[in-house]
Amino acid sequence: MSAINRILRPASKRSGIEAGGGGRRWQGTPMLGTPQQAALGARGPAKARAAALYLNTAYGNRIVEAWTSAMIGRGYQARSQHPAPGIRRRLNDDFEAMANPILTPLARALVRDGEAFLQVVTEDDGGLRLKLIPADQVDPALTRELGGGARIVAGIEYDAADRVVAFHVLREAPGAPFSTFGETVRVPAADMIHTFDLLFPGQVRGLSWLSPVLLKLRDRDEASDALLMQLKTASLITGFVRDPEGGAAGFDDGASGAQVNVSLEPGAMRILPPGADVTFSQPGQGLAQAVEFLRAQDREIAAGVGLTFEALTGDLGEANYSSARVGLLEFRRRAEMMQKNLIEAQVLRPLWRRWIDTQALAGTIRADGADLADYRHVRFVGPGWAWVDPRNEIEAEIAAIGAGLKSREEVVAGRGRDIDDLDEELARDASRAGEGATA
């Protein structure tokens, strides 16, 4: 009876937390006991596979380029808060000319490899040169204790207080001509900018953003190739002639020898001997169901990398204004989070401070104390977003400004512009209009 009672016991009577329980349903489920160590071990293979899929598959390339364009767009605008307008404009122009060209390859490496290293090299004349370092050039195999609580983990040196103090960089990137393995150069942390998306507390190196979908991307690409081969095969119609007597089933037309005429012409009719039959292969069956299945896989891939289905595939056939807008708003929120926390906080602000300090030491700018603080004070305007419905969105922005829910500066910054530049342009337009009216 006890066995029967166990079988008939209602499944709804459960206790405890199922996520921490056992049982057959949990058999084979992957677990990460130490996610920091697992991420460090998976970094190399995931990076290599992501690079291959980026170069060899359409979706792999699209994922990297879509995120790069979303985070960088046409570049960032630096807006120095120095009180002198002339100095402010010069600082903005010089910094943008130095930083913007490196941002696109940096963001591409961040998405594809999971991390980006930017070495800041001081030239003899006091200027800065930015050098993008391949992720594997920061020696991932170098891990050891240094004593007193200091240590090196995957090429990054920490002090006893868990602060990054240096990076151990190979003299040449792995695989480069004349590269020498094992020889590293200690680069102080002040001369290196390391940016990556922290997934777990204590994580040391970044993990490719394609990691959740790498296996599915490979299988999706192979399935697409298989369907293409099936379509090519479907265009080859094969006929099978069956004759119980072992002859040509009437296709020889009385010709001598082994010559058989099986040509097909419009309106042609053939008289087959009794028992003879002709059938054709049908290799194209099931393609419609396979295409729908691939679309479902595309949606999973898009969700895994934080893109909309339309952004990944370029397929707008099932999109309408409402659904497209909802998807874009969600994607923009995530992209703005990455812009603020990765590009601006981890790259642009440290680079600006280092650039200003270097100019002050070189004597290019004469500042100390409070004056130096004026030079360091800066804000950045990220790339703006294009309108989905320009008329309705502009009317909504005007209404929000009129109701006091938004400021002009907030609206202008959301379009990737600086309000000072806009006001100057409007003033020039008004001046030209006034001159034309008096002429």
Side-chain angles (χ1 to χ4, degrees), residues 278-338:
V278 178
T279 58
F280 293 93
S281 62
Q282 296 179 345
Q285 293 180 341
L287 287 179
Q289 295 85 345
V291 170
E292 286 302 316
F293 178 76
L294 288 182
R295 288 173 64 86
Q297 299 305 301
D298 293 344
R299 291 187 175 91
E300 288 190 28
I301 292 172
V305 294
L307 295 176
T308 63
F309 171 77
E310 293 79 13
L312 175 67
T313 64
D315 183 359
L316 302 176
E318 298 180 359
N320 54 47
Y321 173 77
S322 299
S323 64
R325 181 175 174 80
V326 171
L328 281 175
L329 289 177
E330 175 64 25
F331 172 69
R332 287 177 180 179
R333 276 193 293 269
R334 183 170 182 179
E336 288 171 353
M337 176 184 71
M338 298 302 182

Side-chain angles (χ1 to χ4, degrees), residues 252-259:
D252 54 0
D253 292 333
S256 59
Q259 184 177 3

Side-chain angles (χ1 to χ4, degrees), residues 356-370:
I356 291 296
D357 292 347
T358 302
Q359 289 196 82
L361 291 174
T364 306
I365 59 175
R366 300 188 179 277
D368 54 10

